[in-house]
């Protein structure tokens, strides 16, 4: 066994509190979601994010599925109402009632009407986010109080989910690896992660970034958010895609950023299995979705696994090289239910190692970036803090590989850590792995939604 093998993991006793304390926490979490409901969807937070975000909506629907079938369905359906004609599901759906300038880049900057594929309807961004939605739709159906209504919901959403997955397969696999590329760090969901730094050293031509005013710094501490240099590059990439009319064929040929990311693809793989389950429920053929999930699974092992580091890494397909910084994305292939035992064991070993497990007693799991790397930053957005959504994804992934030595113990610790974090600091956006201090937005929706899912799942055994 390696020095970081499963035996290195000391499982602390995990105290999720009494049933009454858990019920109070669930009630509080549901209150956050209900206050963030805008009438047709849920905003991630009142301050920083006043529109609907794509993977946030999937997490939120999963939380709501336990107690509000109607809003859980509506959350997903309002998002898919903004799906583009080519199947692309945009990462932001703008609420026309929100004043212009409340979020940057807003609808006028993205100018989604320039895209041939943009349907007349709500203004959106022009890029996508991790495709968790089939998995969310399956959960919403599974917990529904009204099965007839839930079946009708699946019938409506199934073709849209198929179109979303077909878009990724058709337009986002230029290397033919069976994997989807992301074309902007915002598509990864982990925008400011150090793994993108090298790729983002792209040179921005003079005048390439128009003057703009960041709104995030009005609501958040600059020490928690991306730097100006990173933001300029994020904006430059948007300008590049927008000025190419969001044309996928031109985009792949000219994009300065094309990356196969393990988190995005592991989520796609898990969702392709969920889509197959939905097809079975509806009496359709699940085989194409299972085959696609199998291709993604093989693609991740063939193209993103590195025998030397014994980790999955993102691959820059313009240079062909792996981006070897170790980050939480390396652990996400646990979401693949078919991941062979040797890979599961390597990930579990990493989770128990000093890279992802703080040695300080009472610390919190799982930091979003390698603790021993020079880029680790305990408070800056996606460069080290703990996030409830990545914890939840790992908890789910470990649960489906619970037979692996050490997996069940770490899953229980992650669950305990998630609950301790929100008890200590409330429904914050991200948290300090050493102290549990909360950073970013308050009353953040996915933190609340995923604690509802975690506690209710545990309560129902
Ligand atoms: C963050 O991303 C947005 C851009 O999409 C931002 O920084 O303004 C990320 O944490 C992303 O994963 C999340 O979906 C979004 C809304 O919560 O915020």
């Amino acid at each position: 066994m390696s020095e970081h093998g499963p035996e290195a993991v000391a499982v602390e006793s995990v105290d999720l509190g009494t049933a009454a304390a858990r019920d109070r926490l669930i009630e509080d979490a549901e209150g956050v979601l209900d206050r963030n409901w805008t009438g047709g969807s849920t905003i991630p937070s009142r301050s920083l994010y006043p529109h609907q975000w794509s993977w946030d909506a999937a997490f939120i629907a999963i939380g709501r599925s336990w107690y509000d079938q109607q809003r859980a369905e509506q959350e997903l359906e309002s998002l898919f109402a903004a799906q583009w004609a080519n199947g692309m599901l945009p990462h932001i759906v703008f609420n026309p009632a929100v004043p212009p300038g409340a979020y940057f880049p807003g609808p006028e900057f993205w100018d989604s009407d320039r895209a041939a594929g943009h349907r007349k309807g709500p203004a959106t961004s022009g890029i996508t986010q991790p495709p968790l939605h089939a998995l969310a739709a399956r959960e919403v159906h599974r917990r529904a109080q009204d099965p007839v209504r839930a079946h009708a919901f699946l019938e409506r959403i199934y073709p849209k989910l198929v179109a979303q997955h077909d878009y990724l397969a058709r337009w986002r696999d230029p290397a033919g690896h069976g994997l989807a590329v992301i074309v902007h760090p915002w598509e990864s969901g982990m925008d400011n992660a150090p793994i993108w730094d090298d790729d983002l050293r792209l040179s921005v031509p003079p005048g390439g970034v128009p003057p703009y005013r960041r709104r995030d710094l009005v609501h958040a501490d600059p020490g928690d958010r991306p730097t100006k240099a990173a933001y300029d590059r994020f904006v430059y990439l948007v300008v590049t895609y927008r000025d190419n009319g969001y044309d996928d064929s031109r985009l792949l040929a000219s994009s300065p950023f094309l990356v196969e990311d393990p988190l995005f693809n592991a989520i796609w793989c898990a969702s392709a299995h969920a889509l197959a389950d939905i097809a079975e429920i509806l009496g359709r053929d699940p085989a194409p979705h299972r085959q696609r999930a199998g291709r993604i699974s093989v693609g991740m092992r063939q193209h993103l696994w590195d025998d030397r580091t014994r980790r999955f890494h993102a691959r820059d397909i313009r240079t062909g090289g792996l981006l070897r910084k170790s980050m939480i994305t390396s652990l996400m292939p646990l979401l693949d239910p078919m991941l062979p035992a040797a890979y599961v064991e390597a990930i579990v070993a990493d989770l128990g190692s000093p890279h992802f497990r703080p040695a300080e007693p009472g610390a919190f799991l799982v930091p979003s970036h390698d603790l021993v790397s020079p880029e680790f930053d305990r408070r800056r957005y996606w460069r080290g803090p703990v996030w409830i959504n990545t914890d939840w994804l790992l908890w789910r992934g470990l649960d489906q590989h619970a037979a692996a030595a050490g997996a069940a113990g770490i899953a229980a610790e992650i669950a305990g850590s998630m609950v301790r974090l929100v008890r200590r600091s409330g429904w914050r956006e991200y948290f300090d792995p050493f102290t549990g201090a909360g950073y970013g937005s308050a009353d953040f929706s996915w933190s609340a939604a995923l604690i509802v899912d975690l506690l209710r799942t545990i309560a129902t055994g």
Side-chain angles (χ1 to χ4, degrees):
M1 196 64 66
S2 77
E3 55 165 328
H4 302 319
E7 76 280 10
V9 179
V11 179
E12 293 166 7
S13 71
V14 176
D15 179 13
L16 296 177
T18 62
R22 289 202 302 266
D23 286 350
R24 278 198 301 279
L25 202 57
I26 291 172
E27 209 178 297
D28 202 27
E30 292 176 357
V32 170
L33 292 182
D34 295 341
R35 285 193 296 283
N36 287 348
W37 176 254
T38 61
S41 64
T42 311
I43 47 174
S45 82
R46 296 228 154 251
S47 52
L48 268 173
Y49 309 112
H51 302 283
Q52 187 184 34
W53 260 259
S54 172
W55 76 329
D56 299 59
F59 292 125
I60 290 163
I62 290 168
R64 280 200 198 281
S65 71
W66 288 95
Y67 72 101
D68 192 337
Q69 177 183 353
Q70 194 249 321
R71 283 189 184 176
E73 291 174 3
Q74 210 180 336
E75 186 75 46
L76 291 174
E77 293 201 273
S78 57
L79 180 71
F80 275 90
Q83 185 173 31
W84 288 16
N86 60 1
M88 203 277 291
L89 189 65
H91 100 295
I92 307 175
V93 181
F94 292 108
N95 178 350
V98 170
Y103 177 80
F104 178 82
E108 56 302 317
F109 196 87
W110 284 98
D111 195 8
S112 50
D113 281 343
R114 283 200 204 186
H118 180 249
R119 292 202 174 94
K120 294 296 156 236
T124 70
S125 68
I127 56 172
T128 194
Q129 251 189 345
L132 188 68
H133 311 84
L135 194 144
R138 189 190 57 192
E139 301 289 270
V140 170
H141 176 268
R142 184 177 278 167
R143 307 204 201 300
Q145 297 288 311
D146 178 344
V148 176
R149 186 192 158 106
H151 196 87
F153 158 73
L154 275 195
E155 286 281 9
R156 287 193 304 276
I157 203 152
Y158 175 72
K160 300 178 179 176
L161 292 165
V162 172
Q164 177 193 25
H165 288 219
D166 286 350
Y167 165 80
L168 295 174
R170 164 142 196 230
W171 290 109
R172 292 300 189 93
D173 185 14
H177 292 164
L179 302 173
V181 288
I182 54 172
V183 299
H184 193 298
W186 282 337
E187 292 202 316
S188 73
M190 302 175 305
D191 324 352
N192 198 34
I195 39 174
W196 316 135
D197 290 357
D198 293 342
D199 263 45
L200 281 179
R201 274 194 208 115
L202 46 101
S203 46
V204 177
V209 176
Y212 65 93
R213 187 158 162 244
R214 283 175 70 171
R215 299 297 303 179
D216 56 328
L217 300 182
V218 177
H219 302 290
D221 186 322
D224 300 353
R225 296 285 303 173
T227 60
K228 169 156 179 17
Y231 230 82
D232 275 356
R233 288 170 181 141
F234 294 161
V235 172
Y236 173 64
L237 287 176
V238 172
V239 170
T240 312
Y241 304 144
R242 184 194 66 193
D243 293 351
N244 275 311
Y246 300 110
D247 176 333
D248 285 291
S249 47
R250 284 160 74 191
L251 183 145
L252 292 177
S254 63
S255 172
F257 185 93
L258 288 176
V259 173
E260 291 169 346
D261 168 49
L263 178 139
F264 192 101
N265 283 288
I267 285 182
W268 187 23
C269 179
S271 260
H273 280 290
L275 198 51
D277 296 344
I278 294 173
E280 276 169 16
I281 295 167
L282 297 176
R284 316 282 166 81
D285 182 8
H289 308 307
R290 296 253 184 256
Q291 280 157 11
R292 183 169 285 156
R295 232 170 103 65
I296 302 167
S297 174
V298 171
M300 286 196 292
R301 278 176 274 135
Q302 282 184 349
H303 300 287
L304 307 186
W305 174 258
D306 183 2
D307 265 333
R308 186 162 66 73
T309 60
R310 298 193 45 72
R311 286 199 175 111
F312 289 94
H313 297 284
R315 183 179 291 280
D316 177 340
I317 66 137
R318 290 164 321 141
T319 63
L322 287 174
L323 304 170
R324 283 205 177 73
K325 289 179 179 160
S326 84
M327 182 175 170
I328 203 158
T329 191
S330 294
L331 313 173
M332 291 299 169
L334 279 177
L335 291 165
D336 172 5
M338 312 310 283
L339 189 68
Y343 298 88
V344 174
E345 283 158 17
I347 295 176
V348 170
D350 227 359
L351 271 163
S353 79
H355 297 283
F356 289 103
R357 185 184 182 85
E360 292 69 7
F364 298 86
L365 299 176
V366 175
S368 48
H369 192 68
D370 183 345
L371 288 160
V372 299
S373 102
E375 291 102 351
F376 172 80
D377 183 333
R378 62 199 284 174
R379 67 176 298 162
R380 202 181 283 275
Y381 177 78
W382 292 114
R383 299 178 86 87
V386 178
W387 292 71
I388 297 295
N389 69 330
T390 44
D391 267 9
W392 181 86
L393 290 166
L394 289 173
W395 170 72
R396 290 277 297 232
L398 287 163
D399 185 58
Q400 73 183 350
H401 295 289
I410 297 188
E413 283 188 295
I414 291 175
S417 190
M418 291 165 74
V419 171
R420 283 197 297 131
L421 282 170
V422 298
R423 283 221 173 96
R424 184 199 178 285
S425 298
W427 307 103
R428 297 300 296 267
E429 191 179 358
Y430 40 105
F431 302 88
D432 190 301
F434 304 110
T435 64
Y439 302 132
S441 302
D443 279 355
F444 190 66
S445 291
W446 81 39
S447 299
L450 297 175
I451 292 291
V452 172
D453 182 70
L454 175 86
L455 291 180
R456 289 198 186 251
T457 303
I458 288 170
T460 54

